[in-house]
Amino acid sequence: MTSADNEPAPLDADAAEGFLRMFHTAHPEAGPVGPRLSRVRDEIAGTGTYRHTPDELAYGARIALRDSGWCTSGLPWRRLKVRDLRGLRNAAAVAGECVEHLRLATNGGEIRPLITVFAPDAPGAPGPCIWNEQLVRYAGHPDGTGDRRYTAFTAAVREMGWRPPGEPGRFDVLPLVVETAHEGAKLFTVPPDVVHEVCLEHPDLPWFGQLGLRWHAVPVITHMRLSIGGVSYPAAPFNSWFVGSEIGARSLADENACGAARPVAEALGLDTTAERSLWRDRAVVELNRAVLHSFDLAEVTITDHHAEALHRLSWLRSRQRSSGGRPAFRLDPGAARRARAGGPGRFAPAPAETTAPQSPGRLAELLRRRAGV
Protein backbone atom coordinates (compact mmCIF):
# COMPACT_ATOMS: atom_id res chain seq x y z
CA MET A 1 0.00 0.00 0.00
CA THR A 2 1.25 3.46 -0.88
CA SER A 3 0.29 6.86 0.36
CA ALA A 4 -1.16 7.56 -3.10
CA ASP A 5 -3.62 4.74 -2.53
CA ASN A 6 -5.00 5.76 0.84
CA GLU A 7 -4.59 9.53 0.86
CA PRO A 8 -6.69 11.77 -1.39
CA ALA A 9 -4.53 13.61 -3.91
CA PRO A 10 -4.57 17.43 -3.84
CA LEU A 11 -7.38 18.77 -5.97
CA ASP A 12 -6.38 19.97 -9.44
CA ALA A 13 -7.93 23.43 -9.76
CA ASP A 14 -7.23 23.49 -13.50
CA ALA A 15 -9.24 20.28 -13.92
CA ALA A 16 -12.09 21.86 -11.98
CA GLU A 17 -12.10 24.93 -14.21
CA GLY A 18 -11.85 22.87 -17.40
CA PHE A 19 -14.79 20.70 -16.39
CA LEU A 20 -16.97 23.64 -15.35
CA ARG A 21 -16.34 25.42 -18.63
CA MET A 22 -17.20 22.18 -20.45
CA PHE A 23 -20.42 21.81 -18.44
CA HIS A 24 -21.57 25.40 -19.02
CA THR A 25 -20.82 25.14 -22.75
CA ALA A 26 -23.03 22.05 -22.94
CA HIS A 27 -25.69 23.60 -20.67
CA PRO A 28 -26.12 27.29 -21.54
CA GLU A 29 -29.29 27.32 -19.42
CA ALA A 30 -26.98 27.05 -16.38
CA GLY A 31 -25.92 30.65 -17.02
CA PRO A 32 -22.45 32.17 -17.40
CA VAL A 33 -19.57 30.16 -16.01
CA GLY A 34 -17.83 33.10 -14.31
CA PRO A 35 -19.90 33.26 -11.10
CA ARG A 36 -19.72 29.49 -10.68
CA LEU A 37 -15.93 29.50 -11.14
CA SER A 38 -15.61 32.24 -8.53
CA ARG A 39 -17.64 30.25 -5.98
CA VAL A 40 -15.67 27.07 -6.68
CA ARG A 41 -12.32 28.84 -6.30
CA ASP A 42 -13.44 30.20 -2.93
CA GLU A 43 -14.67 26.75 -1.87
CA ILE A 44 -11.36 25.11 -2.86
CA ALA A 45 -9.39 27.81 -1.04
CA GLY A 46 -11.42 27.25 2.11
CA THR A 47 -11.82 23.47 2.17
CA GLY A 48 -9.37 21.99 -0.32
CA THR A 49 -12.18 20.67 -2.50
CA TYR A 50 -15.62 21.61 -3.84
CA ARG A 51 -19.03 20.02 -4.25
CA HIS A 52 -20.58 19.39 -7.65
CA THR A 53 -24.17 20.42 -8.18
CA PRO A 54 -26.51 17.50 -8.97
CA ASP A 55 -26.58 18.58 -12.63
CA GLU A 56 -22.77 18.74 -12.81
CA LEU A 57 -22.51 15.29 -11.23
CA ALA A 58 -25.00 13.76 -13.67
CA TYR A 59 -23.31 15.37 -16.68
CA GLY A 60 -19.85 14.28 -15.55
CA ALA A 61 -20.98 10.69 -14.96
CA ARG A 62 -22.60 10.46 -18.41
CA ILE A 63 -19.56 11.89 -20.18
CA ALA A 64 -17.27 9.51 -18.27
CA LEU A 65 -19.41 6.55 -19.35
CA ARG A 66 -19.60 7.79 -22.93
CA ASP A 67 -15.83 8.23 -23.21
CA SER A 68 -14.92 5.05 -21.33
CA GLY A 69 -15.73 2.62 -24.14
CA TRP A 70 -17.87 0.49 -21.82
CA CYS A 71 -21.00 1.20 -23.87
CA THR A 72 -20.16 2.46 -27.34
CA SER A 73 -23.67 2.16 -28.79
CA GLY A 74 -24.50 5.60 -27.38
CA LEU A 75 -27.73 4.35 -25.85
CA PRO A 76 -26.67 3.41 -22.29
CA TRP A 77 -24.82 6.65 -21.49
CA ARG A 78 -27.70 8.78 -22.78
CA ARG A 79 -30.14 6.83 -20.60
CA LEU A 80 -27.84 6.70 -17.58
CA LYS A 81 -29.71 7.42 -14.35
CA VAL A 82 -27.56 8.91 -11.59
CA ARG A 83 -28.23 8.09 -7.94
CA ASP A 84 -26.63 10.84 -5.89
CA LEU A 85 -25.70 9.29 -2.54
CA ARG A 86 -22.66 11.41 -1.75
CA GLY A 87 -23.69 11.66 1.90
CA LEU A 88 -23.02 7.97 2.56
CA ARG A 89 -19.66 6.96 4.06
CA ASN A 90 -20.52 3.99 6.32
CA ALA A 91 -19.89 0.48 4.97
CA ALA A 92 -23.34 -0.94 5.78
CA ALA A 93 -25.11 1.95 4.07
CA VAL A 94 -22.89 1.65 0.99
CA ALA A 95 -23.49 -2.12 0.79
CA GLY A 96 -27.24 -1.69 1.22
CA GLU A 97 -27.41 0.84 -1.59
CA CYS A 98 -25.29 -1.39 -3.84
CA VAL A 99 -27.94 -4.07 -3.37
CA GLU A 100 -30.63 -1.50 -4.19
CA HIS A 101 -28.64 -0.52 -7.28
CA LEU A 102 -28.67 -4.14 -8.46
CA ARG A 103 -32.41 -4.41 -7.89
CA LEU A 104 -33.14 -1.19 -9.79
CA ALA A 105 -30.74 -1.98 -12.63
CA THR A 106 -32.13 -5.50 -13.15
CA ASN A 107 -35.64 -4.12 -13.70
CA GLY A 108 -37.15 -7.52 -14.39
CA GLY A 109 -34.65 -8.14 -17.22
CA GLU A 110 -35.03 -4.82 -19.05
CA ILE A 111 -31.64 -3.60 -17.84
CA ARG A 112 -31.42 0.06 -16.78
CA PRO A 113 -28.07 1.88 -17.17
CA LEU A 114 -27.42 3.19 -13.68
CA ILE A 115 -24.67 4.71 -11.54
CA THR A 116 -24.67 5.18 -7.77
CA VAL A 117 -22.19 7.79 -6.53
CA PHE A 118 -21.03 7.61 -2.92
CA ALA A 119 -18.93 10.06 -0.89
CA PRO A 120 -15.89 11.51 -2.67
CA ASP A 121 -12.35 11.74 -1.44
CA ALA A 122 -11.79 15.00 0.46
CA PRO A 123 -8.93 16.37 2.60
CA GLY A 124 -8.96 14.39 5.84
CA ALA A 125 -12.04 12.40 4.75
CA PRO A 126 -11.35 9.76 2.10
CA GLY A 127 -14.40 8.16 0.55
CA PRO A 128 -15.33 4.47 0.85
CA CYS A 129 -14.07 1.88 -1.59
CA ILE A 130 -15.48 -1.41 -2.85
CA TRP A 131 -13.02 -4.26 -3.31
CA ASN A 132 -15.07 -6.40 -5.71
CA GLU A 133 -14.55 -6.12 -9.45
CA GLN A 134 -18.29 -6.46 -10.04
CA LEU A 135 -21.17 -6.53 -7.60
CA VAL A 136 -21.96 -10.13 -8.60
CA ARG A 137 -18.96 -12.44 -9.05
CA TYR A 138 -18.68 -16.17 -8.47
CA ALA A 139 -16.27 -17.76 -6.01
CA GLY A 140 -13.28 -19.81 -7.11
CA HIS A 141 -12.74 -22.75 -4.73
CA PRO A 142 -9.43 -24.54 -3.98
CA ASP A 143 -10.50 -27.69 -5.86
CA GLY A 144 -10.91 -25.68 -9.09
CA THR A 145 -14.69 -25.42 -8.83
CA GLY A 146 -16.19 -22.06 -9.79
CA ASP A 147 -14.55 -19.02 -11.36
CA ARG A 148 -10.77 -19.47 -11.13
CA ARG A 149 -10.16 -15.74 -11.69
CA TYR A 150 -11.34 -15.17 -8.11
CA THR A 151 -9.59 -18.01 -6.29
CA ALA A 152 -7.34 -15.60 -4.38
CA PHE A 153 -10.23 -13.22 -3.63
CA THR A 154 -12.30 -16.17 -2.38
CA ALA A 155 -9.47 -17.31 -0.10
CA ALA A 156 -9.14 -13.77 1.29
CA VAL A 157 -12.83 -13.39 2.14
CA ARG A 158 -12.90 -16.87 3.69
CA GLU A 159 -10.11 -15.73 6.01
CA MET A 160 -12.30 -12.72 6.85
CA GLY A 161 -15.19 -14.97 7.86
CA TRP A 162 -17.18 -15.77 4.71
CA ARG A 163 -18.44 -19.28 4.09
CA PRO A 164 -20.31 -20.59 1.03
CA PRO A 165 -24.04 -21.10 1.65
CA GLY A 166 -23.66 -24.90 1.33
CA GLU A 167 -21.27 -27.28 -0.36
CA PRO A 168 -18.89 -25.25 -2.55
CA GLY A 169 -20.40 -24.96 -6.03
CA ARG A 170 -19.71 -23.43 -9.41
CA PHE A 171 -21.91 -20.37 -8.93
CA ASP A 172 -21.52 -19.24 -5.32
CA VAL A 173 -21.97 -15.47 -5.21
CA LEU A 174 -19.08 -13.79 -3.41
CA PRO A 175 -19.77 -11.33 -0.58
CA LEU A 176 -19.41 -7.61 -1.09
CA VAL A 177 -16.35 -6.10 0.61
CA VAL A 178 -16.68 -2.41 1.50
CA GLU A 179 -13.80 -0.59 3.15
CA THR A 180 -13.90 2.78 4.90
CA ALA A 181 -11.16 4.70 6.66
CA HIS A 182 -12.98 4.59 10.01
CA GLU A 183 -14.31 1.01 9.88
CA GLY A 184 -11.84 -1.01 7.86
CA ALA A 185 -13.00 -3.74 5.47
CA LYS A 186 -16.42 -5.28 6.10
CA LEU A 187 -18.18 -8.23 4.46
CA PHE A 188 -21.80 -8.17 3.29
CA THR A 189 -23.77 -11.02 1.77
CA VAL A 190 -25.51 -10.14 -1.49
CA PRO A 191 -29.13 -11.27 -0.99
CA PRO A 192 -29.96 -14.14 -3.39
CA ASP A 193 -33.33 -12.66 -4.28
CA VAL A 194 -31.73 -9.65 -6.02
CA VAL A 195 -29.28 -11.73 -8.09
CA HIS A 196 -31.15 -12.40 -11.32
CA GLU A 197 -29.50 -15.33 -13.10
CA VAL A 198 -30.16 -16.81 -16.53
CA CYS A 199 -29.98 -20.61 -16.88
CA LEU A 200 -28.33 -21.45 -20.18
CA GLU A 201 -29.77 -23.67 -22.86
CA HIS A 202 -28.99 -24.02 -26.55
CA PRO A 203 -31.30 -23.45 -29.52
CA ASP A 204 -30.20 -26.67 -31.27
CA LEU A 205 -28.56 -28.91 -28.65
CA PRO A 206 -31.12 -30.43 -26.25
CA TRP A 207 -28.43 -31.78 -23.90
CA PHE A 208 -26.85 -28.37 -23.30
CA GLY A 209 -29.16 -27.46 -20.41
CA GLN A 210 -27.95 -30.52 -18.50
CA LEU A 211 -24.53 -28.87 -18.13
CA GLY A 212 -26.07 -26.66 -15.44
CA LEU A 213 -24.49 -23.42 -16.69
CA ARG A 214 -25.90 -20.04 -15.77
CA TRP A 215 -24.83 -16.40 -15.44
CA HIS A 216 -25.99 -13.26 -13.68
CA ALA A 217 -27.93 -10.67 -15.64
CA VAL A 218 -26.28 -7.33 -14.82
CA PRO A 219 -22.59 -6.34 -15.00
CA VAL A 220 -22.27 -3.75 -12.19
CA ILE A 221 -18.67 -2.46 -12.22
CA THR A 222 -17.73 -1.63 -8.63
CA HIS A 223 -13.96 -1.09 -8.36
CA MET A 224 -13.35 1.91 -10.65
CA ARG A 225 -13.18 5.46 -9.37
CA LEU A 226 -15.11 8.25 -11.07
CA SER A 227 -13.08 11.40 -11.63
CA ILE A 228 -14.94 14.63 -12.44
CA GLY A 229 -13.26 18.02 -12.54
CA GLY A 230 -10.55 17.11 -10.06
CA VAL A 231 -12.95 15.45 -7.57
CA SER A 232 -12.47 11.71 -7.12
CA TYR A 233 -15.31 9.33 -6.21
CA PRO A 234 -13.66 6.00 -5.25
CA ALA A 235 -17.01 4.17 -4.96
CA ALA A 236 -19.30 4.78 -7.94
CA PRO A 237 -20.73 1.45 -9.14
CA PHE A 238 -22.22 1.61 -12.63
CA ASN A 239 -23.70 -0.71 -15.21
CA SER A 240 -24.90 -0.97 -18.76
CA TRP A 241 -25.58 -4.51 -20.06
CA PHE A 242 -23.56 -7.53 -21.12
CA VAL A 243 -22.00 -8.26 -24.48
CA GLY A 244 -22.67 -11.98 -25.00
CA SER A 245 -19.03 -12.90 -25.60
CA GLU A 246 -18.05 -11.43 -22.21
CA ILE A 247 -20.00 -14.32 -20.71
CA GLY A 248 -19.57 -17.10 -23.26
CA ALA A 249 -15.95 -16.62 -24.34
CA ARG A 250 -14.29 -14.79 -21.45
CA SER A 251 -16.08 -16.04 -18.35
CA LEU A 252 -17.46 -19.48 -19.17
CA ALA A 253 -15.10 -20.88 -21.80
CA ASP A 254 -11.71 -19.67 -20.54
CA GLU A 255 -9.69 -22.33 -18.71
CA ASN A 256 -8.55 -19.63 -16.27
CA ALA A 257 -12.17 -18.76 -15.46
CA CYS A 258 -14.97 -21.36 -15.47
CA GLY A 259 -13.40 -23.76 -18.00
CA ALA A 260 -16.66 -24.78 -19.68
CA ALA A 261 -15.26 -25.11 -23.21
CA ARG A 262 -13.89 -28.63 -22.66
CA PRO A 263 -17.09 -30.26 -21.35
CA VAL A 264 -19.02 -28.65 -24.22
CA ALA A 265 -16.50 -29.94 -26.76
CA GLU A 266 -16.60 -33.42 -25.26
CA ALA A 267 -20.40 -33.45 -25.40
CA LEU A 268 -20.15 -32.45 -29.06
CA GLY A 269 -17.83 -35.42 -29.67
CA LEU A 270 -14.86 -33.28 -30.69
CA ASP A 271 -11.22 -34.33 -30.50
CA THR A 272 -9.80 -32.39 -27.53
CA THR A 273 -6.33 -33.99 -27.63
CA ALA A 274 -4.86 -31.27 -29.87
CA GLU A 275 -5.61 -27.56 -30.23
CA ARG A 276 -5.15 -27.89 -34.01
CA SER A 277 -8.56 -29.56 -34.24
CA LEU A 278 -10.02 -26.18 -33.19
CA TRP A 279 -12.28 -27.89 -30.67
CA ARG A 280 -12.02 -24.92 -28.38
CA ASP A 281 -13.15 -22.47 -31.06
CA ARG A 282 -16.16 -24.58 -31.94
CA ALA A 283 -17.11 -24.94 -28.28
CA VAL A 284 -16.85 -21.17 -27.73
CA VAL A 285 -19.20 -20.53 -30.66
CA GLU A 286 -21.81 -22.83 -29.14
CA LEU A 287 -21.39 -21.24 -25.72
CA ASN A 288 -21.90 -17.78 -27.21
CA ARG A 289 -24.97 -18.99 -29.10
CA ALA A 290 -26.38 -20.46 -25.88
CA VAL A 291 -25.81 -17.20 -23.96
CA LEU A 292 -27.56 -15.01 -26.54
CA HIS A 293 -30.39 -17.51 -27.02
CA SER A 294 -30.97 -17.90 -23.27
CA PHE A 295 -30.86 -14.18 -22.45
CA ASP A 296 -33.28 -13.49 -25.30
CA LEU A 297 -35.55 -16.30 -24.13
CA ALA A 298 -35.48 -14.91 -20.57
CA GLU A 299 -36.09 -11.38 -21.93
CA VAL A 300 -32.91 -10.01 -20.38
CA THR A 301 -31.14 -7.19 -22.25
CA ILE A 302 -27.91 -8.25 -23.97
CA THR A 303 -25.96 -7.36 -27.10
CA ASP A 304 -23.65 -9.41 -29.32
CA HIS A 305 -20.03 -8.75 -30.14
CA HIS A 306 -20.66 -8.07 -33.85
CA ALA A 307 -23.13 -5.26 -33.10
CA GLU A 308 -20.78 -3.95 -30.42
CA ALA A 309 -17.83 -3.98 -32.87
CA LEU A 310 -19.74 -1.75 -35.30
CA HIS A 311 -20.68 0.62 -32.49
CA ARG A 312 -17.07 0.71 -31.32
CA LEU A 313 -15.73 1.62 -34.76
CA SER A 314 -18.20 4.49 -34.96
CA TRP A 315 -17.28 5.53 -31.41
CA LEU A 316 -13.54 5.51 -32.19
CA ARG A 317 -14.10 7.74 -35.23
CA SER A 318 -16.24 10.28 -33.41
CA ARG A 319 -15.07 10.33 -29.81
CA GLN A 320 -13.28 13.29 -28.28
CA ARG A 321 -9.65 12.72 -27.42
CA SER A 322 -9.17 12.36 -23.69
CA SER A 323 -7.51 15.05 -21.62
CA GLY A 324 -6.67 15.46 -17.97
CA GLY A 325 -9.72 17.58 -17.27
CA ARG A 326 -12.37 15.35 -18.83
CA PRO A 327 -14.56 13.15 -16.62
CA ALA A 328 -13.37 9.54 -16.62
CA PHE A 329 -13.55 6.18 -14.91
CA ARG A 330 -10.11 5.18 -13.66
CA LEU A 331 -8.65 2.00 -12.21
CA ASP A 332 -5.70 2.47 -9.87
CA PRO A 333 -3.24 -0.39 -9.19
CA GLY A 334 -4.44 -0.87 -5.63
CA ALA A 335 -8.04 -1.34 -6.72
CA ALA A 336 -6.98 -3.82 -9.41
CA ARG A 337 -5.10 -5.90 -6.81
CA ARG A 338 -7.96 -5.85 -4.33
CA ALA A 339 -10.44 -7.00 -7.00
CA ARG A 340 -8.46 -10.16 -7.75
CA ALA A 341 -6.40 -10.85 -4.63
CA GLY A 342 -8.73 -9.58 -1.91
CA GLY A 343 -6.24 -7.05 -0.59
CA PRO A 344 -4.25 -5.26 0.57
CA GLY A 345 -6.72 -2.83 2.09
CA ARG A 346 -6.77 0.77 0.98
CA PHE A 347 -6.50 2.23 4.46
CA ALA A 348 -5.10 -0.33 6.90
CA PRO A 349 -1.41 -1.34 6.62
CA ALA A 350 -2.26 -4.56 8.49
CA PRO A 351 -4.43 -7.34 7.01
CA ALA A 352 -8.14 -6.58 7.04
CA GLU A 353 -9.81 -7.50 10.30
CA THR A 354 -11.74 -10.73 10.56
CA THR A 355 -15.45 -10.04 10.37
CA ALA A 356 -18.51 -12.21 9.83
CA PRO A 357 -20.48 -11.18 6.76
CA GLN A 358 -23.67 -9.25 7.35
CA SER A 359 -26.76 -11.29 6.53
CA PRO A 360 -29.19 -10.60 3.68
CA GLY A 361 -31.73 -9.74 6.38
CA ARG A 362 -29.56 -6.87 7.58
CA LEU A 363 -29.35 -5.43 4.06
CA ALA A 364 -33.08 -5.91 3.61
CA GLU A 365 -33.67 -3.98 6.84
CA LEU A 366 -31.52 -1.10 5.55
CA LEU A 367 -33.52 -1.00 2.35
CA ARG A 368 -36.82 -1.09 4.23
CA ARG A 369 -35.70 1.84 6.38
CA ARG A 370 -34.72 3.79 3.27
CA ALA A 371 -38.15 3.14 1.74
CA GLY A 372 -39.86 4.13 4.99
CA VAL A 373 -41.58 0.74 5.35
Side-chain angles (χ1 to χ4, degrees), residues 230-252:
V231 178
S232 181
Y233 300 92
F238 67 95
N239 71 276
S240 55
W241 42 71
F242 272 120
V243 178
S245 56
E246 291 180 59
I247 302 171
R250 293 174 60 187
S251 296
L252 290 174

Side-chain angles (χ1 to χ4, degrees), residues 52 82 91 240 260 307-308:
H52 292 122
V82 179
S240 55
E308 186 62 17

Side-chain angles (χ1 to χ4, degrees), residues 15 19 50 52 56-57 60-61 64 226-233 325-328:
F19 167 71
Y50 70 103
H52 292 122
E56 289 167 356
L57 180 70
L226 173 63
S227 177
I228 303 176
V231 178
S232 181
Y233 300 92
R326 294 184 69 83

